[in-house]
Amino acid sequence: MQELITARGLTKQYKQVRALDDVNLTVERGRIVGLIGPNGAGKTTFLKSVMGLIHHEGSIQVLGLDPRQQRPRVMQSLCYIADVASLPGWMRVSQAVEYTQMIHPRFRREKAEEYLARTDILPKSKIAKLSKGMKTQLHLALVMAIDADLLVLDEPTLGLDILYRRQFYTDLLNEYYDETRTILVSTHQVEEVEHILTDLVFINAGRIVLDCAMDQVAENFVLLNCSDGNEAQARALGPMYEEQQMGVTSFIFENVPRERLAELGKVRTPGVADLFVAKIGKKNHD
């Protein structure tokens, strides 16, 4: 596959805080990549480097271009969604559509209007009068109508209720994504994006601590709900994480044969949230 983003030795220092610490990461075309980490882990700093918004050490290329030196060319093929409060409240919906058409050469107005026609958003409505969910729908309509190679999402559904969050990701898959486009999404709501991801990246304290395809998660990691009396045998196999809830001891293992663990209790593939706690959560609370 073609490499869309390539970061090598990417480092960013903010006074006493190293937001990015020697990050090496490759994102390939046609993937949906979840960038997951706790607050202050470096997620937003990485996304800013992708868009050429910050100075840094090391290198990063997007679509074969340097985002700092060739930002106009990069932004022609990149769309970004973060807090929808960035949309100007004084504008009407129709004006936002017209403005986007004027400034972006790859914007398809008919596609935006087609999507908006399926919502309750009126063209004459002022953006300031729209609900949070409607603002998100408007933002999504504008972005999905741009023929972009890369969509960057930074906590795109923050503050939305569960219905709007679910609809957002459904529309994203149905209206935007195909095998030629790439989505890079940073979010705390890992359970809601788990089913759409093709790749998983955990970042903590500015460093990448996990970088793998979702099908590799099933191959490399196993969650064991241990049967009574088998805890000592499980610990002897070197779990990466242990937790006890309601009298059941659970372990997460990396690169331990599933057949061996099945002798000690019930096994399954850990979810992204389980894996996140195992890789990052415990360290943050030690």
Side-chain angles (χ1 to χ4, degrees), residues 175-237:
E175 304 286 345
Y176 177 84
Y177 178 70
D178 60 36
E179 293 182 355
T180 67
R181 291 174 168 171
T182 302
I183 300 174
L184 178 59
V185 54
S186 170
T187 180
H188 288 87
Q189 296 162 334
V190 293
E191 295 90 346
E192 295 185 357
V193 299
E194 180 174 0
H195 69 289
I196 72 170
L197 299 180
T198 64
D199 298 85
L200 187 61
V201 176
F202 288 165
I203 185 170
N204 191 34
R207 300 186 68 87
I208 303 297
V209 297
L210 178 70
D211 176 14
C212 70
M214 288 299 292
D215 54 8
Q216 290 179 314
V217 171
E219 293 178 7
N220 297 345
F221 299 96
V222 180
L223 187 149
L224 166 67
N225 289 326
C226 199
S227 301
D228 288 343
N230 291 333
E231 290 82 2
Q233 294 180 65
R235 293 187 185 102
L237 295 173

Side-chain angles (χ1 to χ4, degrees), residues 63 73-79 104 106 147-151:
L63 295 160
R73 290 180 61 189
V74 170
M75 294 307 293
Q76 286 184 7
S77 299
L78 183 153
C79 289
H104 207 296
R106 298 174 71 175
D147 186 19
D149 297 297
L150 174 62
L151 176 59

Side-chain angles (χ1 to χ4, degrees), residues 29-202:
R29 184 180 294 274
R31 311 295 284 180
I32 304 178
V33 182
L35 182 65
I36 313 296
N39 290 330
K43 302 185 299 297
T44 297
T45 302
F46 179 78
L47 298 184
K48 286 181 177 179
S49 71
V50 169
M51 294 183 288
L53 296 176
I54 59 173
H55 293 282
H56 53 74
E57 298 177 23
S59 67
I60 185 167
Q61 287 197 330
V62 179
L63 295 160
L65 304 171
D66 183 331
R68 286 287 302 171
Q69 302 299 324
Q70 299 166 290
R71 189 164 187 268
R73 290 180 61 189
V74 170
M75 294 307 293
Q76 286 184 7
S77 299
L78 183 153
C79 289
Y80 174 68
I81 297 182
D83 189 340
V84 293
S86 59
L87 291 170
W90 56 268
M91 268 190 177
R92 298 188 185 277
V93 172
S94 59
Q95 292 174 321
V97 173
E98 291 171 3
Y99 177 74
T100 307
Q101 184 178 25
M102 286 190 297
I103 65 171
H104 207 296
R106 298 174 71 175
F107 180 74
R108 295 172 294 174
R109 179 169 183 163
E110 66 282 358
K111 185 174 180 63
E113 291 176 339
E114 177 184 333
Y115 176 81
L116 289 172
R118 301 198 300 269
T119 72
D120 295 327
I121 301 172
L122 300 177
K124 294 183 178 181
S125 298
K126 281 195 173 184
I127 293 175
K129 299 295 184 179
L130 300 178
S131 67
K132 179 89 173 181
M134 287 182 173
K135 289 177 182 177
T136 301
Q137 287 180 314
L138 172 58
H139 206 155
L140 186 59
L142 297 176
V143 166
M144 289 193 307
I146 295 173
D147 186 19
D149 297 297
L150 174 62
L151 176 59
V152 177
L153 307 174
D154 189 5
E155 298 289 353
T157 59
L158 194 64
L160 298 182
D161 64 41
I162 188 171
L163 294 178
Y164 273 118
R165 294 199 302 268
R166 179 172 294 182
Q167 189 62 48
F168 176 89
Y169 290 113
T170 298
D171 290 344
L172 193 66
L173 288 177
N174 292 338
E175 304 286 345
Y176 177 84
Y177 178 70
D178 60 36
E179 293 182 355
T180 67
R181 291 174 168 171
T182 302
I183 300 174
L184 178 59
V185 54
S186 170
T187 180
H188 288 87
Q189 296 162 334
V190 293
E191 295 90 346
E192 295 185 357
V193 299
E194 180 174 0
H195 69 289
I196 72 170
L197 299 180
T198 64
D199 298 85
L200 187 61
V201 176
F202 288 165

